[in-house]
Amino acid sequence: MEVESKTVMTREDCMHLVQERQPEKDFDENEGLRAVHDGDEGEKVDGSNVVLLPLPADVHQFSKDYACDDMKVGSRASNPLEELVAQAKEQGKNNQEKKLSRRDRMELGRLFQEAVSSHDWELAESLVLLADSQTLNDVLCIALDAIWFLTTWGELNGITGLIKKIVSNGGSDFTRAILRTSFLASCVYACHCRIMNLTDTVGIMAQRLHERLQECHGDEVLKAEAGVKVQKFTDWALKCIGFHFRYQENRGGRKNNMIVEVQLQLSAFKTFLELAGDHLTGKDFTEAFDAACFPLTLFSSSFDSGWALGISAIAVRGLLGMLVEGGADNVNQCFLEASRFGSTELVRILLQIAERNSLDIDVDLALVFASHYCKIETMECLVDEGHAIDFLGPLVRASERGCMQVVQWFVNRGCGDMELCLALTAATSSSQVGVSAYLLPHIPQHVLAALSIEILKAAGERSRGSLDGVAFLLCSDFLGDRAATYAVADSIARSNDEAVAPELRAFLLEQWSEAAFSEGLSAGQDHFVNFMRILRRGCSPICLMDLPPPLAATIAYMPLYRECMEASGQLLSQKLRGQLVEAARRIGGRWVDDDSQANELLEILERNLPVSFCGH
């Protein structure tokens, strides 16, 4: 069979990444993902070192007419493989170290990829003999990436033999290989259980990546560059997966069940780790662990729920488990990150890995992250399976932010009285009146009575310029006893305790103290005197004295009535109640006790005001 002069290329089939001789870090040091790969020619993505090398549409059309030394390739003199052989012979005669040109490295890499994809192991091994040191590292990555698509024992033997051949001939960039293949492996297993198409998945991951980078400290330009490069790397991985999956279908689909395939793939990865030996450091395993967790964290919303109970989870546990055995020490960091993004299934897997390897992970801190971003399913996993028990911190923070869904979840799971009181204080200090209203019925009255002063003092101290939360508690008669609620407010207003915030003391003294009630009575009396002066001495052409009494009363007291109705709640402030008592006395024409309740006073006004103005 002759070798075709040109192989038909399809851009959509796959993107093949290779890396420059001295790789850079695409992701900052805290992220741990290096996405730059060697490349020579081909189409380069703007702003990155990513090179697109389209794979052929038909990888079956290969010449197998070759030999390792005196190669008998196809009859065409322009055959690229023949040119590479000739150059290798010439360099051998000159007794020099092999050094391929950029064009030759590119061509050899393409041919190697085709050989691996078609499982032509003999051709692939022959190409290894032609590679220089840089190209050996490139083909090592290509061969290692192929292990995640193994389906038979024959393929396993072929790829592991090929990897051994590459290493024995000088392939040594194990760091780049393990980092790249760990990322790809997670993407492969994620795609087994995805419910979205690849295009949507890339979009989801880009959005999640943007959210993650926004929360990182550092230069905005560098963060933007990192986001672009990681997104390009993800795009490569997904297109590569799409190509291999289509290639498997063209060959008749899978030949074994998935559990057997996973065993083959993990066995091949273990063989690679054994070959690498001490060349891989603990730092390498740590970065590879981060690379493997990264897509699983960001992809979570595109997975079928419950995927951690399937074959994909077995594969991910096996991959991550081997990385931990190798020395990865960032399980807790990745665990917290997965909790923050609500990747419940990855959280579940990491819990299992930590238990199996006796690793310490902070489930309570993870609960803080999950609750902060309202990841309810993750919270349930952390409590039910991770046995997180510290509800106080996340409950208080949720109350402070007004996140009702999270507050309700914690309350329904069971919180102590003290935890609820602290949550109420947090909600009050932040003026989250909805949360305060929800929490109040769940706290026993005797507990509120014992802690009432401390709750109001703490809320005032932590308030951020608004005391609406304090006013809500008082208006709600949070102690369930009108006299007791007024007494607590008056006690704090008259207190000389330096722990009382000046703003709180001034507010209570002006609105809720006994002195405020007296001031309200006095203000009501002054208002009545002034109104009568206007009636009798005013020069208004309307002739107010001739108005019907209900209409005159409306002019005098409708503003006060509306202010009382807008205040809403079971109690009015003492100042407002004082004005209302005086108004009731005047408009009702009879004495009203100082301790009369607001609803009684408002009824007196309503009986003497036109119905149309009162809204009835």
Side-chain angles (χ1 to χ4, degrees), residues 571-592:
L571 298 184
L572 294 175
S573 70
Q574 287 283 46
K575 184 175 183 178
L576 199 56
R577 194 173 69 85
Q579 296 177 55
L580 190 58
V581 167
E582 181 61 24
R585 289 172 180 172
R586 297 297 182 179
I587 200 172
R590 63 183 179 85
W591 180 256
V592 176

Side-chain angles (χ1 to χ4, degrees), residues 139-322:
V139 298
L140 176 62
C141 289
I142 295 172
L144 187 60
D145 290 345
I147 69 176
W148 308 113
F149 306 98
L150 298 176
T151 59
T152 67
W153 286 100
E155 294 172 12
L156 171 64
N157 293 330
I159 198 66
T160 53
L162 181 59
I163 293 175
K164 291 176 181 178
K165 185 79 171 181
I166 296 171
V167 173
S168 65
N169 278 270
S172 59
D173 195 351
F174 301 105
T175 297
R176 173 159 67 99
I178 191 175
L179 184 61
R180 162 173 153 153
T181 206
S182 296
F183 183 90
L184 177 62
S186 286
C187 292
V188 170
Y189 294 128
C191 289
H192 280 311
C193 52
R194 60 182 169 82
I195 57 176
M196 304 171 67
N197 60 45
L198 293 179
T199 301
D200 293 338
T201 299
V202 171
I204 288 291
M205 193 167 188
Q207 179 183 350
R208 292 292 192 87
L209 177 62
H210 176 74
E211 295 173 0
R212 173 173 176 171
L213 290 175
Q214 287 301 309
E215 296 179 0
C216 297
H217 299 291
D219 184 86
E220 292 298 324
V221 175
L222 293 178
K223 290 196 293 185
E225 291 177 354
V228 170
K229 292 177 179 179
V230 174
Q231 186 173 348
K232 294 294 184 183
F233 193 54
T234 304
D235 192 46
W236 158 77
L238 295 179
K239 287 185 177 181
C240 185
I241 292 167
F243 164 76
H244 279 283
F245 283 177
R246 289 194 301 273
Y247 188 86
Q248 287 179 347
E249 293 300 324
N250 292 337
R251 288 188 297 139
R254 294 185 170 90
K255 298 177 176 57
N256 290 300
N257 60 43
M258 285 190 63
I259 187 63
V260 174
E261 292 180 9
V262 167
Q263 291 173 345
L264 296 175
Q265 293 157 10
L266 294 178
S267 177
F269 186 61
K270 184 177 181 181
T271 298
F272 165 76
L273 295 181
E274 292 172 349
L275 288 172
D278 294 337
H279 294 287
L280 288 174
T281 66
K283 180 181 178 182
D284 295 331
F285 282 102
T286 297
E287 291 188 351
F289 192 93
D290 184 65
C293 290
F294 189 78
L296 295 174
T297 298
L298 299 189
F299 272 140
S300 58
S301 62
S302 66
F303 294 167
D304 289 322
S305 59
W307 69 268
L309 302 177
I311 302 300
S312 292
I314 296 175
V316 171
R317 276 198 300 270
L319 170 65
L320 297 181
M322 280 190 274

Side-chain angles (χ1 to χ4, degrees), residues 531-544:
F531 183 73
M532 294 306 298
R533 285 174 178 171
I534 292 173
L535 288 181
R536 294 172 181 174
R537 303 177 188 177
C539 300
S540 172
I542 299 178
C543 298
L544 297 178

